């Protein structure tokens, strides 16, 4: 360490000059400058983060390029008024009922819907019939429970007299019903088994 007073070279650990006794000043390094630079960098980084957070919180009216705006954020389709007028499928359970046709009665199983069809305009009736005792019937009667009474609504053709068929039944004016039954139109003491379901219901 060089003495600023007399210029004598002293050891680095000396506090006073060995020649003149003057007080020696320690050599200033650049450590303080490094600390200042690091502190400034930290302050600048914190300010940048704060500005970004403020911008996100306030929201931006700008839409980034190639971003598609969607009215619905979720992938779940929204049921519109038009959709509520059309039912793809109607759930139901079998229920034993008694039908009265003139002076005769017939006890059969009807398909009772889990929900009432309000002002039904049309429906597709799907059935698969197995006739017993080698009987065949090509013409079948569709019954609907309107209020608490079963009434005749339409007829379904079963071309082979047995097996599966699908037919759209139209109601004019629309009816409100909660069950349907399908029975053969030919008289006799025979029996049959049937699978029956309703699809493509259109409500008024």
């Amino acid at each position: 360490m060089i003495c600023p007073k007399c210029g004598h070279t002293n050891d680095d650990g000396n506090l006073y000059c060995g020649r003149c006794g003057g007080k020696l000043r320690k050599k200033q390094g650049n450590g303080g400058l490094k600390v200042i630079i690091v502190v400034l960098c930290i302050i600048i980084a914190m300010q940048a983060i704060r500005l970004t957070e403020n911008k996100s919180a306030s929201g931006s009216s700008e839409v980034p390029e190639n971003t598609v705006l969607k009215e619905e954020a979720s992938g779940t389709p929204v049921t519109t008024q038009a959709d509520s007028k059309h039912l793809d499928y109607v759930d139901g359970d079998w229920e034993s009922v008694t039908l009265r046709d003139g002076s005769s009665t017939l006890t059969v199983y009807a398909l009772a819907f889990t929900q009432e069809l309000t002002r039904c305009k049309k429906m597709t009736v799907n059935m698969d019939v197995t006739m017993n005792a080698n009987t065949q019937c090509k013409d079948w009667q569709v019954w609907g429970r309107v209020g608490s009474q079963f009434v005749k609504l339409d007829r379904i053709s079963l071309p082979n007299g047995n097996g599966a068929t699908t037919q759209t039944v139209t109601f004019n004016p629309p009816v409100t019903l909660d069950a349907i039954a399908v029975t053969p139109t030919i008289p006799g003491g025979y029996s049959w088994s049937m699978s029956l379901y309703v699809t493509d219901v259109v409500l008024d």
Side-chain angles (χ1 to χ4, degrees):
M1 186 177 294
I2 299 173
C3 177
K5 189 174 181 181
C6 67
H8 178 69
T9 301
N10 297 276
D11 293 334
D12 287 341
N14 293 350
L15 297 177
Y16 298 94
C17 180
R19 177 186 292 173
C20 69
K23 188 173 182 179
L24 299 174
R25 288 181 293 181
K26 290 185 178 181
K27 184 178 180 182
Q28 296 289 336
N30 60 356
L33 181 60
K34 289 181 179 178
V35 172
I36 293 172
I37 292 174
V38 171
V39 171
L40 286 174
C41 289
I42 292 173
I43 292 173
I44 292 171
M46 290 177 67
Q47 289 294 335
I49 293 172
R50 198 168 292 150
L51 285 173
T52 302
E53 289 176 349
N54 289 340
K55 186 175 181 181
S56 299
S58 63
S60 174
S61 60
E62 296 178 2
V63 179
E65 265 185 75
N66 302 323
T67 298
V68 179
L69 292 178
K70 296 182 179 179
E71 293 183 3
E72 297 299 325
S74 68
T76 305
V78 177
T79 302
T80 64
Q81 188 64 24
D83 291 334
S84 67
K85 300 294 186 181
H86 179 271
L87 305 175
D88 292 328
Y89 178 81
V90 180
D91 288 322
D93 295 307
W94 289 110
E95 181 181 316
S96 178
V97 299
T98 299
L99 306 178
R100 291 178 174 81
D101 188 5
S103 60
S104 61
T105 60
L106 184 65
T107 300
V108 298
Y109 282 96
L111 180 64
F113 305 138
T114 55
Q115 67 178 90
E116 185 180 64
L117 303 182
T118 305
R119 292 187 56 79
C120 180
K121 294 173 65 176
K122 67 179 181 177
M123 65 170 63
T124 299
V125 178
N126 309 269
M127 67 180 190
D128 192 350
V129 179
T130 301
M131 301 291 293
N132 296 329
N134 297 319
T135 309
Q136 289 188 341
C137 180
K138 296 185 178 182
D139 193 23
W140 292 69
Q141 181 69 55
V142 179
W143 301 73
R145 185 162 60 192
V146 180
S148 59
Q149 300 286 332
F150 272 91
V151 296
K152 294 179 179 181
L153 296 176
D154 205 340
R155 290 200 174 192
I156 291 182
S157 175
L158 187 59
N160 296 326
N162 218 348
T165 188
T166 297
Q167 183 171 315
T168 299
V169 178
T170 302
F171 308 114
N172 187 22
V175 295
T176 296
L177 68 164
D178 66 355
I180 65 165
V182 181
T183 61
T185 57
I186 57 173
Y190 49 84
S191 61
W192 67 94
S193 59
M194 173 188 296
S195 67
L196 180 66
Y197 62 97
V198 172
T199 58
D200 298 320
V201 175
V202 178
L203 305 177
D204 188 14

